[in-house]
Amino acid sequence: PPYQLRLALHAPSVLQGRPLEESREFVAGPAFQLYAAEQLSRFVDSEVSFSARELCALDLCLRGSSHEDRRAWWEQVRRCRRRVQARPVPSL
């Protein structure tokens, strides 16, 4: 059967916990799913400041890859950024 795509656009630093925009008939999933997606977005954006709870959420989502693979990927992405990279690598 055809599936209908329903999504919400979030910007945690702008509207924490609320979407900027959402498609018609969008239904939010469990709260942890949103929380984990926000942490994954920060990880992909080369963020370095994570709390213990945020690291746990990332670890659950990324459990299919080793910590070394995660670190290597994160550092490779981080090297592509133009911003200053003086802060240490998070313990992922």
Side-chain angles (χ1 to χ4, degrees):
Y3 294 97
Q4 292 188 4
L5 177 65
R6 297 179 180 119
L7 55 95
L9 176 63
H10 285 262
S13 61
V14 178
L15 294 173
Q16 198 163 21
R18 294 188 343 224
L20 290 171
E21 189 68 55
E22 57 187 33
S23 61
R24 185 176 303 158
E25 299 180 28
F26 172 78
V27 178
F32 180 77
Q33 192 174 40
L34 172 59
Y35 182 75
E38 288 174 350
Q39 305 322 310
L40 284 167
S41 295
R42 292 178 58 219
F43 177 73
V44 168
D45 193 38
S46 305
E47 179 65 49
V48 295
S49 180
F50 291 93
S51 70
R53 181 174 183 240
E54 293 164 345
L55 286 172
C56 285
L58 279 173
D59 199 43
L60 285 171
C61 293
L62 299 173
R63 66 179 173 242
S65 60
S66 71
H67 286 259
E68 180 57 33
D69 287 344
R70 298 175 202 179
R71 186 192 58 74
W73 180 88
W74 186 89
E75 287 179 343
Q76 184 177 14
V77 169
R78 188 178 187 206
R79 282 192 295 274
C80 297
R81 305 292 183 196
R82 292 183 177 191
R83 63 182 163 207
V84 178
Q85 301 173 13
R87 298 178 89 182
V89 176
S91 56
L92 295 172

